[in-house]
Amino acid sequence: MRMPSIKPSELTAEQRSLDGHVRQLMAGLPAPFTSTDSDGALIGPFPVMLRFPGLARPLLEWFTAGTGASVLPARVREVAILTTGSRYAAAYELYSHSRVALDVGLPEDIIEGLVAGQRPAGMTVEETVAHDVAARLHSGAPLPGALYRAAVRAFGDSGMAELVFLIAQYAAISAILNAYDVPLPPDGD
């Protein structure tokens, strides 16, 4: 771990403000996963963000903008997030969003396949499209016209834009997690 957690009592005023914002965002997530250590300090990508609040705040505002009026179903969002996390092998992302995905109803075998970097059988048409869009964007190539049209048919123009921005957001988080070698919490699988 390159950036250890910061005890709440040791936060500066600017860090404390960001810490509160992060905790508010976390309270809105549908599934519990460990996001604090035994001292109550935030873990995961958050120690890095707290050390660089000027860089983190715009990223978190971008997240808030993308989740406030989501048109994508929760399962579709988690498929895209897990596909992104698997491409980066971002352990904490895969840990936390596997739990969220289970809580929103994705079957365990689909979650395991996504975490392993596969295209699992048994996904809905919309989930498959989300996976394929995320996988293709992480290959570094443009979306083929047929895949783009399938995504617009499945989610509409707004949903397609939300999907692309969601994939970009979690690519950014995955890069932060990997750059700072963020470990799993003790209950991580």
Side-chain angles (χ1 to χ4, degrees):
M1 177 175 9
R2 297 178 177 138
M3 293 273 173
S5 59
I6 306 170
K7 292 180 184 179
S9 62
E10 297 174 359
L11 295 170
T12 66
E14 186 178 22
Q15 290 171 331
R16 198 172 359 275
S17 170
L18 187 60
D19 182 271
H21 181 68
V22 167
R23 289 176 193 273
Q24 185 178 10
L25 289 174
M26 298 294 288
L29 290 178
F33 56 87
T34 302
S35 59
T36 58
D37 65 15
S38 59
D39 292 324
L42 291 169
I43 61 171
F46 306 115
V48 177
M49 291 181 178
L50 289 172
R51 282 178 172 76
F52 306 103
L55 297 171
R57 194 169 298 283
L59 180 64
L60 291 172
E61 288 172 8
W62 183 31
F63 266 84
T64 304
T67 58
S70 178
V71 298
L72 295 175
R75 285 175 52 145
V76 167
R77 289 177 59 83
E78 294 308 316
V79 166
I81 292 167
L82 290 173
T83 301
T84 300
S86 73
R87 294 305 187 266
Y88 283 86
Y92 187 86
E93 197 63 54
L94 294 170
Y95 152 78
S96 59
H97 279 277
S98 289
R99 291 182 176 211
V100 174
L102 193 58
D103 196 64
V104 300
L106 269 177
E108 211 166 310
D109 62 323
I110 290 176
I111 294 168
E112 290 170 359
L114 292 168
V115 168
Q118 300 167 355
R119 184 182 193 242
M123 292 190 293
T124 67
V125 170
E126 292 82 9
E127 292 163 1
T128 301
V129 168
H131 171 273
D132 291 352
V133 168
R136 179 62 181 219
L137 289 176
H138 292 301
S139 75
L143 285 181
L147 181 53
Y148 174 82
R149 289 187 297 277
V152 171
R153 271 194 311 276
F155 310 120
D157 288 328
S158 294
M160 171 56 180
E162 182 183 332
L163 178 62
V164 170
F165 278 83
L166 178 73
I167 293 163
Q169 290 167 335
Y170 278 91
I173 292 296
S174 294
I176 291 167
L177 290 166
N178 285 345
Y180 290 95
D181 196 24
V182 174
L184 290 173
D187 68 333
D189 312 306

